[in-house]
Amino acid sequence: MADPWWRDAVVYEIYVRSFQDSNGDGIGDLAGIHARLPYLKRLGVDAIWLTPFYPSPMHDAGYDVADYCDVDPRFGRLEDFDALLADAHALGLRVFVDVVPNHTSIEHPWFRAAVADPSAPERELYLFRPGRADGSPPNDWQSVFGGSAWTRDETSGEFYLHLFDSSQPDLDWRNPVVHERFRDILRFWLDRGVDGFRIDVAHALYKDAAMRDGKENAWDQDEVFGVWEEWRGVLDEYGDRSFVGEVFLYDMDRVARYVGPTRLQQAFNFSIAKMPFDAEAFRAKVTRSLELFERDGTSPTWVLSNHDLIRHATRFGGGEAGRRRALAATAFLIALPGSAYLFQEEELGLEQSDVPPEARQDPIWFRTGEAGRDGCRTPMPWSANGDGHGFTTGKPWLPFDDQAAALAVDKQDGVAGSTLEAYRELLRRRRELVPGLGREVAWLDAPDGCLAFRRTAADGRSLVVATNFTAEPRTLPQPVVTLDPETTVWHLEG
Ligand code: NOJ
Ligand code: CA
């Protein structure tokens, strides 16, 4: 039986607010993405993942959802979504949408009803608790964004739990009504034809029932697997659709519990995004990922960047060297069994932007004074020219920096040696060479600071992928392959 499509897909994350604005308000939107589908097709990805575009007050960039079954007017209308989906499918691109089940927005009608009347049934959808005798919050849990995870509801005097911003109250997944509501939400989008869901904070839906102190009690409780089994049942009624869970745990052994034939098909492996550009680190993490995830019912995910992380060109040192290393790392991982999740603008070699304090929008910045995640969320520079760089005719919601002129799409398009052309070539070769290869990864002897593996096809043909993580040239002994500093070579045999 052929492997399902999601098992070895290249999925491109579109940060909806920052991809393409179609109406000059400075905010990316669905019609903008629609118009850019040919770019994505030409880039050579298999699927796109759209970050939340649902009605939201945008306290956390749309991860605070006020209505799960509609489109925020800033991003368009449901008809725009349908049109985008239809054309993506016509081009052979699959579409993942984001689902945010851990929390809603404070502006969701459920939460509004819950605070308006503490005896309303909606109150039971959330986690309200009385404070301690001294008036302090019910326990010591901290918000991921800084400060207490509890905010006092002034009307009732009780506190509500929010593992993220105070504008994102957590739902009570021990309440069966929450399950019912989310089954309907999944069906709403499945019926429209989405190919899958990226599940936000998939590890955090259940908290310790007794709400004991200690951050280990705030998430990653085994009860959550019941939800993924239930959701998988719904999804499987629709054929070959897929889930990818954002299981934000750096311990990949724990992440592995979330996936399997009756749970999620895949989960992001953030341990990969934590690796330094170093041969030993890559070998250790990749080996363990393959052991844990390369099995029936799941496959590894390779994630180097996303809208919450420092862009990997920057993490790997920045500048020309950072870009070279970033490309080498991608070219190495993308040849392995499993799915690669790319983040928009990495194909341009973009680095983290230094967003000035007055322009920042991330709640992390407002809650803690730390720079936050805006630096990886700046809009896509399509053109080297113009204030809006082809992204908008208006004022972009986050400012461009000098990279926009230097790395814009139109500066790299058709230019040999550009990062964009290197990505296109890499993805073209992947489509051409990888599908027939066996899933087994055989490590080869490699010089110090280098890694090499081979994957072989049934007809004997094989692909050797070798990466030189050092700043000096190296030579792979067998097969003999010359490796420039900080580059990955794909070498065909047979
Ligand atoms: C993970 C999302 O990727 C992030 O952007 C968001 O702030 C949190 N979940 C809360 O929804
Ligand atoms: Ca717009």
Side-chain angles (χ1 to χ4, degrees), residues 17-324:
R17 294 204 293 180
S18 291
F19 197 62
Q20 177 68 63
D21 175 21
S22 71
N23 62 353
D25 65 358
I27 302 170
D29 45 53
L30 297 179
I33 297 166
H34 193 165
R36 293 296 188 179
L37 287 176
Y39 169 85
L40 297 164
K41 182 66 189 170
R42 175 153 177 228
L43 181 60
V45 300
D46 303 307
I48 55 177
W49 147 32
L50 304 175
T51 56
F53 47 78
Y54 315 112
S56 165
M58 300 284 165
H59 293 299
D60 184 26
Y63 283 98
D64 47 327
V65 179
D67 180 352
Y68 289 90
C69 298
D70 204 351
V71 173
D72 190 286
R74 272 170 283 219
F75 300 128
R77 296 169 309 154
L78 272 173
E79 296 75 53
D80 298 313
F81 177 80
D82 293 339
L84 162 61
L85 185 65
D87 274 1
H89 284 167
L91 288 170
L93 295 168
R94 312 258 182 179
V95 179
F96 279 92
V97 296
D98 226 302
V99 60
V100 187
N102 181 66
H103 44 264
T104 70
S105 159
I106 41 171
E107 293 192 12
H108 196 290
W110 305 339
F111 192 74
R112 285 174 180 272
V115 284
D117 174 6
S119 66
E122 285 82 359
R123 187 89 169 179
E124 305 300 318
L125 301 178
Y126 294 91
L127 293 159
F128 284 88
R129 294 288 182 278
R132 294 197 242 218
D134 65 357
S136 63
N139 69 18
D140 71 353
W141 295 351
Q142 296 291 297
S143 154
V144 174
F145 293 166
S148 172
W150 297 92
T151 289
R152 208 174 119 99
D153 155 37
E154 292 307 332
T155 318
S156 65
E158 286 193 329
F159 290 78
Y160 64 88
L161 181 70
H162 53 87
L163 292 184
F164 294 89
D165 190 53
S166 56
S167 61
Q168 296 165 293
D170 281 35
L171 289 162
D172 182 359
W173 276 89
R174 291 195 175 82
N175 182 343
V177 178
V178 173
H179 291 245
E180 203 179 290
R181 301 269 167 101
F182 272 88
R183 283 196 301 269
D184 291 346
I185 292 163
L186 294 179
R187 289 187 193 284
F188 177 86
W189 293 104
L190 288 166
D191 289 338
R192 293 197 106 79
V194 303
D195 299 285
F197 297 91
R198 175 269 189 192
I199 305 171
D200 192 60
V201 207
H203 55 297
L205 272 48
Y206 281 80
K207 294 77 171 145
D208 174 50
M211 297 237 173
R212 285 168 293 189
D213 280 351
K215 74 168 189 234
E216 67 284 4
N217 293 319
W219 52 58
D220 196 25
Q221 312 285 307
D222 286 355
E223 284 162 284
V224 77
F225 303 136
V227 181
W228 307 140
E229 285 156 10
E230 175 193 333
W231 282 28
R232 183 65 183 264
V234 173
L235 194 84
D236 284 350
E237 290 171 29
Y238 287 80
D240 63 346
R241 323 268 178 118
S242 191
F243 286 123
V244 58
E246 188 219 19
V247 181
F248 216 116
L249 304 169
Y250 285 116
D251 177 347
M252 63 170 107
D253 287 67
R254 295 194 75 81
V255 175
R257 293 145 60 235
Y258 286 76
V259 294
T262 60
R263 295 184 181 174
L264 306 179
Q265 284 87 343
Q266 290 186 322
F268 292 142
N269 186 353
F270 288 108
S271 169
I272 295 297
K274 265 201 134 180
M275 298 183 298
F277 187 72
D278 169 87
E280 281 317 305
F282 268 63
R283 178 156 180 164
K285 295 286 186 193
V286 166
T287 303
R288 189 69 188 137
S289 299
L290 291 168
E291 283 164 7
L292 288 168
F293 297 100
E294 183 45 35
R295 54 187 159 93
D296 280 352
T298 183
S299 66
T301 62
W302 310 112
V303 179
L304 288 167
S305 283
N306 76 16
H307 66 281
D308 295 324
L309 305 172
I310 307 278
R311 285 187 175 276
H312 65 289
T314 303
R315 285 204 318 272
F316 291 158
E320 279 303 314
R323 249 191 290 290
R324 194 165 59 238

